[in-house]
Amino acid sequence: MQTLQQILPDLIYVGASEGRHPLFENIYPVPAGMSYNSYLITDEKTALLDTCDMSVREQFWDNVTTGLAGRDLDYLIVHHMEPDHAALIQEIVSRYPHVQLVCNAKTQQLMGQFFPNTTAHFLTVKEGDTLSLGRHTLAFYMAPMVHWPEVMVSYDTTDKILFSADAFGTFGELNGSLYADTIPFSDFVPEARRYYTNIVGKYGNQVQMLLKKAATLDIEMICPLHGPIWRKDLGLLLDKYQKWSTYTPEEKGTLIVYGSIYGHTENAVRVLAEKLAAKGMPVRLYDASKTHPSYLLSEAFRYSHLVLASVTYNNGIFPPVETFILDMKAHALQNRHVFLIQNGSWAPASGKLMTALLSDMKGITLDEEILTITSALKPEQEMTLDNLATRISES
Ligand code: FEO
């Protein structure tokens, strides 16, 4: 049965949520499911704004055909070619042979790679072009690398709606309600942060460019391709995007990520955490072996300070900690204070190796001292830990 929802008399949500697949992009855990949003405008002309992921194909078609109510589809606006939104384009062309695919030049290159038989349907648009559907007029703005090079967004000049592609999305399904203002913002933020940092965190400059374009528009509603629609308190979301895209910590606090085999390194970071907490510093501790890197990256974007503690393993960094560091590098995390703890029973080496990995990251301030544990923390090292806690809290 269809699950479409009316947003406005001539704007219908025809996307779908699903909770059966444990991973998004076959890499990110999505324990709360995922939504794949698609919007249908039923004006004098009909326009579908993106398709959906193959995982929700049946629901999508049920919604689209119900929404069209027997009408033909005139336009498919293609904001993004990643298959979680573009998987059904070939089928759109097959079902609606008169449809025009509204897309930019870069999109056409990717479309040709995914769906070589669609080129005759292209209607090319570029920055600032408009398309009248009758009551609605859509204006197109390029948003390269948010999250692929062909991405564009569209702005409905009639109803002041920004169709924002991947931007302003989140992990998680919609739970029946379309609107962000039906859930507490604090409930929304953790998975929105994890989505942003992992999906577009690397492209802060490009997100900044999009935010600057959006600032010139009078926006009353944001319709993203994942997660709820925004129609109130847009400033809350924009403030988060401003911080995340400039790599500005959201709050002063210490993220401790540790790799420990038999618990001795864990003991050291727990002692450190107590000392930091006693100084009033918020602390979050994560065992890298048990936590998916996407959650660690998200927390690294949140907090100002980072402690990495790793055993020496095969003369290297403990692999889960190394994976996290490489993930931070890949996502261009910047502007953080970083402190290192190494453990090694006969030849501690992880500190030097972590330093080498972190040293070419922009805006990373590495503490000069590496705290070294040989097998287990000794009582006489308490002063050293006190000093470390002081350097963290005062930096
Ligand atoms: Fe939701 Fe970049 O795709």
Side-chain angles (χ1 to χ4, degrees), residues 3-313:
T3 58
L4 54 75
Q5 294 193 50
Q6 208 85 30
I7 302 168
L8 297 170
D10 54 1
L11 176 61
I12 306 168
Y13 178 86
V14 290
S17 290
E18 71 91 22
R20 302 181 311 282
H21 293 83
L23 297 176
F24 175 69
E25 291 188 358
N26 208 21
I27 183 169
Y28 301 111
V30 280
M34 199 68 201
S35 79
Y36 300 96
N37 299 345
S38 171
Y39 304 93
L40 179 65
I41 297 175
T42 52
D43 205 336
E44 291 170 25
K45 297 284 188 181
T46 57
L48 182 66
L49 287 79
D50 297 294
T51 70
C52 276
D53 187 77
M54 196 58 85
S55 63
V56 294
R57 175 185 172 277
E58 198 171 334
Q59 187 67 70
F60 169 77
W61 280 119
D62 209 348
N63 291 345
V64 169
T65 52
T66 304
L68 280 170
R71 294 181 66 183
D72 199 5
L73 182 65
D74 297 303
Y75 300 108
L76 171 65
I77 317 295
V78 184
H79 292 115
H80 186 12
M81 276 304 297
E82 192 166 9
D84 56 329
H85 312 292
L88 300 165
I89 289 176
Q90 184 71 62
E91 199 172 343
I92 288 276
V93 170
S94 301
R95 290 185 182 222
Y96 305 103
H98 304 297
V99 73
Q100 289 191 280
L101 305 178
V102 181
C103 50
N104 60 57
K106 191 68 183 175
T107 305
Q108 291 171 14
Q109 177 197 330
L110 294 172
M111 189 90 72
Q113 294 166 195
F114 280 106
F115 309 115
N117 300 326
T118 57
T119 54
H121 295 263
F122 289 163
L123 174 61
T124 308
V125 293
K126 57 185 185 314
E127 179 80 13
D129 282 355
T130 59
L131 176 70
S132 174
L133 304 174
R135 191 177 78 82
H136 296 265
T137 297
L138 296 177
F140 302 101
Y141 297 93
M142 304 302 117
M145 300 318 298
V146 189
H147 139 238
W148 279 17
E150 86 297 355
V151 169
M152 65 180 190
V153 301
S154 58
Y155 175 65
D156 181 340
T157 61
T158 310
D159 290 328
K160 301 179 179 175
I161 301 171
L162 180 69
F163 295 96
S164 62
D166 272 344
F168 308 117
T170 184
F171 293 134
E173 65 163 292
L174 284 178
N175 294 296
S177 172
L178 277 184
Y179 302 104
D181 48 275
T182 61
I183 54 172
F185 188 62
S186 56
D187 286 2
F188 171 82
V189 167
E191 283 297 76
R193 182 192 295 114
R194 188 167 70 92
Y195 168 86
Y196 173 90
T197 55
N198 285 277
I199 304 299
V200 289
K202 179 182 176 65
Y203 305 112
N205 289 340
Q206 291 85 348
V207 173
Q208 276 285 300
M209 289 169 62
L210 176 59
L211 290 177
K212 288 188 172 97
K213 289 182 187 181
T216 67
L217 305 172
D218 180 12
I219 298 170
E220 291 188 353
M221 189 183 291
I222 296 176
C223 292
L225 285 177
H226 300 288
I229 292 170
W230 286 79
R231 59 184 179 180
K232 290 181 186 172
D233 302 324
L234 302 187
L236 293 174
L237 182 62
L238 291 169
D239 176 64
K240 291 294 183 193
Y241 263 65
Q242 181 65 22
K243 287 192 170 72
W244 295 337
S245 60
T246 54
Y247 305 98
T248 304
E250 288 171 68
E251 54 195 283
K252 183 170 182 181
T254 303
L255 167 66
I256 301 177
V257 176
Y258 64 91
S260 185
I261 302 172
Y262 296 109
H264 300 100
T265 305
E266 179 182 358
N267 169 249
V269 295
R270 290 200 179 282
V271 174
L272 175 64
E274 287 179 8
K275 292 180 181 300
L276 286 168
K279 291 176 181 296
M281 185 82 156
V283 182
R284 294 300 301 269
L285 271 168
Y286 287 96
D287 181 343
S289 298
K290 295 195 304 190
T291 315
H292 191 274
S294 64
Y295 291 90
L296 301 178
L297 184 76
S298 180
E299 292 289 71
F301 269 70
R302 178 180 179 185
Y303 290 114
S304 55
H305 293 65
L306 173 61
V307 174
L308 296 166
S310 176
V311 294
T312 301
Y313 195 76

Side-chain angles (χ1 to χ4, degrees), residues 310-319 322 343 347-351 353-354:
S310 176
V311 294
T312 301
Y313 195 76
N314 287 330
N315 208 29
I317 306 166
F318 195 49
E322 185 173 33
N343 194 348
S350 55
L353 295 168
M354 288 191 285

